[in-house]
């Protein structure tokens, strides 16, 4: 059987894995949404999007990535304190 210490270690590892997943998802959202829309706007040869659309999409993706990153940090803070 598991002792209480093992259960705590399992909980800590699950918290780390969850935070790591959210942080990787945040990086993906930020990179794909922000960088790719800017690169597409710069290199597009036909049907360019208006600058405000590109800026809005980039801002929304950046904010979404930031929100996911802050959620990951809160998971770790909840598990480990500080």
């Amino acid at each position: 059987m598991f002792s209480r210490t093992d259960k705590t270690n399992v909980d800590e590892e699950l918290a780390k894995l969850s935070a790591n997943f959210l942080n990787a998802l945040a990086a993906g959202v930020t990179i794909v949404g922000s960088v790719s829309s800017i690169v597409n706007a710069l290199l597009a040869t036909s049907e360019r999007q208006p600058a405000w659309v590109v800026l809005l999409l980039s801002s929304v993706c950046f904010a979404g990535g930031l929100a996911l990153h802050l959620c990951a940090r809160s998971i770790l803070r909840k598990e480990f304190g500080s």
Side-chain angles (χ1 to χ4, degrees), residues 5-81:
T5 322
D6 293 336
K7 178 70 170 148
T8 302
N9 289 339
V10 169
D11 290 341
E12 288 177 359
E13 287 302 315
L14 286 174
K16 288 180 193 177
L17 286 171
S18 298
N20 190 21
F21 174 76
L22 283 177
N23 207 31
L25 191 61
V29 166
T30 302
I31 290 169
V32 170
S34 300
V35 176
S36 67
S37 63
I38 292 171
V39 169
N40 185 30
L42 293 174
L43 300 178
T45 55
S46 63
E47 282 196 49
R48 288 185 172 221
Q49 296 291 329
W52 68 269
V53 172
V54 174
L55 183 62
L56 179 66
L57 179 61
S58 295
S59 299
V60 167
C61 288
F62 182 78
L66 181 63
L68 286 169
H69 176 70
L70 293 175
C71 286
R73 287 178 58 118
S74 73
I75 288 173
L76 291 177
R77 281 201 174 119
K78 213 180 281 185
E79 185 66 34
F80 298 107

